[in-house]
Every structure is written in C-alpha cells, then in structure tokens.
Amino acid sequence: VQLQESGPGLVKSSQTLSLTCTVSGASIATDRCYWGWIRQPPGKGLEWITYITRGSPFYSPSLKTRTSNSRDTSKNQFTLELTSVTPEDTAVYYCVSGGCDVYWAPDAWGQGILVTVSS
C-alpha cells in the first residue's frame, strides 16, 4: 500500500487546514482496518490526530473539537480538516494505515507534508 499526502504548505492562523491522502495498492473501503493522520511538530514527538476504522472516525481528545476525518471511497482518498489553526499546528503531517491484527499500529506511512501556520 502507498499513501500520498497533498494540500497547502502554508495556512494562515484561524483558517482551516485541509489535507488529502490518496491511497494506491489497497482499497480504503475493504482493505486494512485503520486509515488516519499523525503529525510531528518541529523538535517534538509524533502525535496522533485521527483515524477511521470500519467507516467510523475516532479523534484525539486534545484535537477532537477541531478535527474531522472523512473518506471518499470512489476516489480511494481520505481527508483531514483541522479548523481554527494556530502556529502551534505547524508540523509535518503524515497519512498512515494500519492492519487489522493490531489495534491502531500504523505500518504504512506517506512521505509527509510540512504545513506551516503563519500568525
């Protein structure tokens, strides 16, 4: 399975960040169990944001009120939206996928996309 992130590299504060992950080599509708997003701010560790499993989205409690995760099975894509962004949301964003044998343990990653939020 291959994953590729796309979206703007620069977003202004208070705007909505929208990123799309295009998947090849697997169907997001029928293959694997987890499709989600993880980010890494500069100089910090990885932070999970959201995942979809069996068609239902789950969100990190710290980001839940600002996050949505949707999928378009006809395009084999899923999309992250993060509202009311601030410079603290500056990070490399990865779309990821995990198999069904382990709970939420991504083993396939996109190359990542750096998103900078300007103040």
Side-chain angles (χ1 to χ4, degrees):
V1 57
Q2 292 83 42
L3 304 97
Q4 179 67 58
E5 305 89 351
S6 60
L10 181 64
V11 182
K12 294 182 178 179
S13 288
S14 79
Q15 292 185 341
T16 295
L17 166 66
S18 182
L19 297 174
T20 296
C21 184
T22 301
V23 178
S24 59
S27 167
I28 66 171
T30 60
D31 299 333
R32 304 174 66 83
C33 282
Y34 297 93
W35 303 94
W37 295 89
I38 290 174
R39 70 181 183 181
Q40 185 169 29
K44 298 184 179 180
L46 296 170
E47 176 184 25
W48 81 274
I49 304 170
T50 175
Y51 60 84
I52 291 177
T53 182
R54 295 179 173 83
S56 297
F58 293 84
Y59 302 102
S60 167
S62 64
L63 296 168
K64 181 177 182 179
T65 60
R66 300 194 291 128
T67 307
S68 68
N69 185 0
S70 61
R71 64 178 188 172
D72 186 337
T73 56
S74 67
K75 296 180 179 179
N76 218 33
Q77 296 176 331
F78 56 101
T79 297
L80 168 72
E81 289 197 340
L82 183 65
T83 63
S84 303
V85 296
T86 72
E88 290 188 349
D89 293 308
T90 294
V92 177
Y93 287 75
Y94 299 93
C95 61
V96 299
S97 176
C100 301
D101 52 342
V102 181
Y103 170 71
W104 185 222
D107 57 4
W109 294 63
Q111 65 180 22
I113 181 170
L114 173 62
V115 178
T116 301
V117 179
S118 63
S119 57

PDB file of all heavy atoms in Angstrom, residues 61-79:
ATOM      1  N   PRO A  61      -8.435  13.198  21.842  1.00  0.00           N
ATOM      2  CA  PRO A  61      -9.211  14.104  22.715  1.00  0.00           C
ATOM      3  C   PRO A  61      -8.727  15.555  22.665  1.00  0.00           C
ATOM      4  O   PRO A  61      -9.531  16.478  22.763  1.00  0.00           O
ATOM      5  CB  PRO A  61      -9.007  13.492  24.108  1.00  0.00           C
ATOM      6  CG  PRO A  61      -8.770  12.039  23.843  1.00  0.00           C
ATOM      7  CD  PRO A  61      -7.983  12.004  22.566  1.00  0.00           C
ATOM      8  N   SER A  62      -7.436  15.733  22.496  1.00  0.00           N
ATOM      9  CA  SER A  62      -6.897  17.093  22.515  1.00  0.00           C
ATOM     10  C   SER A  62      -7.230  17.874  21.252  1.00  0.00           C
ATOM     11  O   SER A  62      -7.144  19.105  21.246  1.00  0.00           O
ATOM     12  CB  SER A  62      -5.381  17.040  22.697  1.00  0.00           C
ATOM     13  OG  SER A  62      -4.774  16.398  21.601  1.00  0.00           O
ATOM     14  N   LEU A  63      -7.621  17.189  20.189  1.00  0.00           N
ATOM     15  CA  LEU A  63      -7.898  17.866  18.923  1.00  0.00           C
ATOM     16  C   LEU A  63      -9.326  17.635  18.437  1.00  0.00           C
ATOM     17  O   LEU A  63      -9.713  18.140  17.382  1.00  0.00           O
ATOM     18  CB  LEU A  63      -6.919  17.387  17.845  1.00  0.00           C
ATOM     19  CG  LEU A  63      -5.447  17.720  18.084  1.00  0.00           C
ATOM     20  CD1 LEU A  63      -4.566  16.946  17.109  1.00  0.00           C
ATOM     21  CD2 LEU A  63      -5.216  19.216  17.935  1.00  0.00           C
ATOM     22  N   LYS A  64     -10.075  16.908  19.211  1.00  0.00           N
ATOM     23  CA  LYS A  64     -11.387  16.434  18.765  1.00  0.00           C
ATOM     24  C   LYS A  64     -12.314  17.552  18.303  1.00  0.00           C
ATOM     25  O   LYS A  64     -13.022  17.416  17.313  1.00  0.00           O
ATOM     26  CB  LYS A  64     -12.045  15.642  19.895  1.00  0.00           C
ATOM     27  CG  LYS A  64     -13.401  15.061  19.556  1.00  0.00           C
ATOM     28  CD  LYS A  64     -13.945  14.235  20.704  1.00  0.00           C
ATOM     29  CE  LYS A  64     -15.284  13.604  20.342  1.00  0.00           C
ATOM     30  NZ  LYS A  64     -15.814  12.774  21.447  1.00  0.00           N
ATOM     31  N   THR A  65     -12.300  18.671  19.035  1.00  0.00           N
ATOM     32  CA  THR A  65     -13.261  19.734  18.714  1.00  0.00           C
ATOM     33  C   THR A  65     -12.918  20.461  17.416  1.00  0.00           C
ATOM     34  O   THR A  65     -13.763  21.187  16.876  1.00  0.00           O
ATOM     35  CB  THR A  65     -13.317  20.752  19.856  1.00  0.00           C
ATOM     36  OG1 THR A  65     -12.025  21.335  20.033  1.00  0.00           O
ATOM     37  CG2 THR A  65     -13.779  20.106  21.149  1.00  0.00           C
ATOM     38  N   ARG A  66     -11.702  20.266  16.895  1.00  0.00           N
ATOM     39  CA  ARG A  66     -11.289  20.992  15.699  1.00  0.00           C
ATOM     40  C   ARG A  66     -11.046  20.094  14.490  1.00  0.00           C
ATOM     41  O   ARG A  66     -10.633  20.573  13.435  1.00  0.00           O
ATOM     42  CB  ARG A  66      -9.999  21.790  15.982  1.00  0.00           C
ATOM     43  CG  ARG A  66     -10.114  22.813  17.076  1.00  0.00           C
ATOM     44  CD  ARG A  66      -8.937  23.777  17.046  1.00  0.00           C
ATOM     45  NE  ARG A  66      -7.687  23.151  17.428  1.00  0.00           N
ATOM     46  CZ  ARG A  66      -6.585  23.205  16.709  1.00  0.00           C
ATOM     47  NH1 ARG A  66      -6.574  23.821  15.539  1.00  0.00           N
ATOM     48  NH2 ARG A  66      -5.472  22.640  17.153  1.00  0.00           N
ATOM     49  N   THR A  67     -11.289  18.806  14.632  1.00  0.00           N
ATOM     50  CA  THR A  67     -10.846  17.861  13.613  1.00  0.00           C
ATOM     51  C   THR A  67     -12.004  17.107  12.983  1.00  0.00           C
ATOM     52  O   THR A  67     -12.973  16.753  13.670  1.00  0.00           O
ATOM     53  CB  THR A  67      -9.883  16.836  14.246  1.00  0.00           C
ATOM     54  OG1 THR A  67      -8.830  17.519  14.927  1.00  0.00           O
ATOM     55  CG2 THR A  67      -9.286  15.932  13.186  1.00  0.00           C
ATOM     56  N   SER A  68     -11.892  16.876  11.702  1.00  0.00           N
ATOM     57  CA  SER A  68     -12.791  15.937  11.037  1.00  0.00           C
ATOM     58  C   SER A  68     -11.978  15.071  10.083  1.00  0.00           C
ATOM     59  O   SER A  68     -10.949  15.496   9.556  1.00  0.00           O
ATOM     60  CB  SER A  68     -13.901  16.667  10.283  1.00  0.00           C
ATOM     61  OG  SER A  68     -13.365  17.373   9.185  1.00  0.00           O
ATOM     62  N   ASN A  69     -12.436  13.857   9.899  1.00  0.00           N
ATOM     63  CA  ASN A  69     -11.766  12.880   9.048  1.00  0.00           C
ATOM     64  C   ASN A  69     -12.843  12.216   8.201  1.00  0.00           C
ATOM     65  O   ASN A  69     -13.738  11.574   8.733  1.00  0.00           O
ATOM     66  CB  ASN A  69     -11.047  11.847   9.919  1.00  0.00           C
ATOM     67  CG  ASN A  69     -10.212  10.862   9.120  1.00  0.00           C
ATOM     68  OD1 ASN A  69     -10.141  10.925   7.893  1.00  0.00           O
ATOM     69  ND2 ASN A  69      -9.559   9.950   9.816  1.00  0.00           N
ATOM     70  N   SER A  70     -12.759  12.415   6.910  1.00  0.00           N
ATOM     71  CA  SER A  70     -13.774  11.844   6.030  1.00  0.00           C
ATOM     72  C   SER A  70     -13.100  11.065   4.916  1.00  0.00           C
ATOM     73  O   SER A  70     -11.902  11.209   4.669  1.00  0.00           O
ATOM     74  CB  SER A  70     -14.643  12.956   5.442  1.00  0.00           C
ATOM     75  OG  SER A  70     -13.850  13.854   4.679  1.00  0.00           O
ATOM     76  N   ARG A  71     -13.862  10.240   4.244  1.00  0.00           N
ATOM     77  CA  ARG A  71     -13.288   9.440   3.171  1.00  0.00           C
ATOM     78  C   ARG A  71     -14.172   9.478   1.932  1.00  0.00           C
ATOM     79  O   ARG A  71     -15.392   9.652   2.030  1.00  0.00           O
ATOM     80  CB  ARG A  71     -13.080   8.000   3.622  1.00  0.00           C
ATOM     81  CG  ARG A  71     -14.349   7.253   3.966  1.00  0.00           C
ATOM     82  CD  ARG A  71     -14.048   5.815   4.355  1.00  0.00           C
ATOM     83  NE  ARG A  71     -15.293   5.043   4.503  1.00  0.00           N
ATOM     84  CZ  ARG A  71     -15.332   3.728   4.686  1.00  0.00           C
ATOM     85  NH1 ARG A  71     -14.224   3.028   4.759  1.00  0.00           N
ATOM     86  NH2 ARG A  71     -16.488   3.111   4.807  1.00  0.00           N
ATOM     87  N   ASP A  72     -13.536   9.334   0.788  1.00  0.00           N
ATOM     88  CA  ASP A  72     -14.228   9.211  -0.494  1.00  0.00           C
ATOM     89  C   ASP A  72     -13.786   7.891  -1.099  1.00  0.00           C
ATOM     90  O   ASP A  72     -12.708   7.790  -1.687  1.00  0.00           O
ATOM     91  CB  ASP A  72     -13.869  10.390  -1.399  1.00  0.00           C
ATOM     92  CG  ASP A  72     -14.666  10.411  -2.694  1.00  0.00           C
ATOM     93  OD1 ASP A  72     -15.158   9.333  -3.092  1.00  0.00           O
ATOM     94  OD2 ASP A  72     -14.786  11.484  -3.298  1.00  0.00           O
ATOM     95  N   THR A  73     -14.602   6.875  -0.932  1.00  0.00           N
ATOM     96  CA  THR A  73     -14.196   5.548  -1.390  1.00  0.00           C
ATOM     97  C   THR A  73     -14.122   5.471  -2.912  1.00  0.00           C
ATOM     98  O   THR A  73     -13.362   4.660  -3.439  1.00  0.00           O
ATOM     99  CB  THR A  73     -15.146   4.477  -0.856  1.00  0.00           C
ATOM    100  OG1 THR A  73     -16.486   4.800  -1.237  1.00  0.00           O
ATOM    101  CG2 THR A  73     -15.072   4.390   0.666  1.00  0.00           C
ATOM    102  N   SER A  74     -14.880   6.312  -3.614  1.00  0.00           N
ATOM    103  CA  SER A  74     -14.833   6.279  -5.082  1.00  0.00           C
ATOM    104  C   SER A  74     -13.483   6.768  -5.603  1.00  0.00           C
ATOM    105  O   SER A  74     -13.038   6.354  -6.672  1.00  0.00           O
ATOM    106  CB  SER A  74     -15.961   7.122  -5.666  1.00  0.00           C
ATOM    107  OG  SER A  74     -15.769   8.497  -5.388  1.00  0.00           O
ATOM    108  N   LYS A  75     -12.841   7.639  -4.845  1.00  0.00           N
ATOM    109  CA  LYS A  75     -11.522   8.146  -5.224  1.00  0.00           C
ATOM    110  C   LYS A  75     -10.391   7.461  -4.449  1.00  0.00           C
ATOM    111  O   LYS A  75      -9.216   7.732  -4.701  1.00  0.00           O
ATOM    112  CB  LYS A  75     -11.452   9.651  -4.995  1.00  0.00           C
ATOM    113  CG  LYS A  75     -12.404  10.463  -5.853  1.00  0.00           C
ATOM    114  CD  LYS A  75     -12.252  11.951  -5.562  1.00  0.00           C
ATOM    115  CE  LYS A  75     -13.181  12.773  -6.434  1.00  0.00           C
ATOM    116  NZ  LYS A  75     -13.061  14.233  -6.144  1.00  0.00           N
ATOM    117  N   ASN A  76     -10.770   6.611  -3.508  1.00  0.00           N
ATOM    118  CA  ASN A  76      -9.781   5.963  -2.644  1.00  0.00           C
ATOM    119  C   ASN A  76      -8.924   6.998  -1.916  1.00  0.00           C
ATOM    120  O   ASN A  76      -7.687   6.906  -1.878  1.00  0.00           O
ATOM    121  CB  ASN A  76      -8.892   4.994  -3.421  1.00  0.00           C
ATOM    122  CG  ASN A  76      -8.567   3.744  -2.622  1.00  0.00           C
ATOM    123  OD1 ASN A  76      -9.383   3.276  -1.822  1.00  0.00           O
ATOM    124  ND2 ASN A  76      -7.375   3.202  -2.827  1.00  0.00           N
ATOM    125  N   GLN A  77      -9.593   7.979  -1.344  1.00  0.00           N
ATOM    126  CA  GLN A  77      -8.932   9.069  -0.627  1.00  0.00           C
ATOM    127  C   GLN A  77      -9.607   9.287   0.723  1.00  0.00           C
ATOM    128  O   GLN A  77     -10.789   8.991   0.892  1.00  0.00           O
ATOM    129  CB  GLN A  77      -9.025  10.381  -1.419  1.00  0.00           C
ATOM    130  CG  GLN A  77      -8.309  10.384  -2.748  1.00  0.00           C
ATOM    131  CD  GLN A  77      -8.536  11.674  -3.513  1.00  0.00           C
ATOM    132  OE1 GLN A  77      -9.565  12.333  -3.372  1.00  0.00           O
ATOM    133  NE2 GLN A  77      -7.550  12.047  -4.332  1.00  0.00           N
ATOM    134  N   PHE A  78      -8.842   9.832   1.671  1.00  0.00           N
ATOM    135  CA  PHE A  78      -9.449  10.325   2.892  1.00  0.00           C
ATOM    136  C   PHE A  78      -8.838  11.675   3.216  1.00  0.00           C
ATOM    137  O   PHE A  78      -7.702  11.968   2.828  1.00  0.00           O
ATOM    138  CB  PHE A  78      -9.348   9.326   4.058  1.00  0.00           C
ATOM    139  CG  PHE A  78      -7.964   8.872   4.422  1.00  0.00           C
ATOM    140  CD1 PHE A  78      -7.307   9.430   5.510  1.00  0.00           C
ATOM    141  CD2 PHE A  78      -7.330   7.856   3.710  1.00  0.00           C
ATOM    142  CE1 PHE A  78      -6.044   8.990   5.876  1.00  0.00           C
ATOM    143  CE2 PHE A  78      -6.065   7.411   4.072  1.00  0.00           C
ATOM    144  CZ  PHE A  78      -5.421   7.988   5.166  1.00  0.00           C
ATOM    145  N   THR A  79      -9.624  12.485   3.907  1.00  0.00           N
ATOM    146  CA  THR A  79      -9.291  13.902   4.067  1.00  0.00           C
ATOM    147  C   THR A  79      -9.336  14.325   5.525  1.00  0.00           C
ATOM    148  O   THR A  79     -10.277  13.999   6.252  1.00  0.00           O
ATOM    149  CB  THR A  79     -10.272  14.775   3.259  1.00  0.00           C
ATOM    150  OG1 THR A  79     -10.127  14.449   1.864  1.00  0.00           O
ATOM    151  CG2 THR A  79      -9.989  16.252   3.456  1.00  0.00           C
TER     152      THR A  79
END
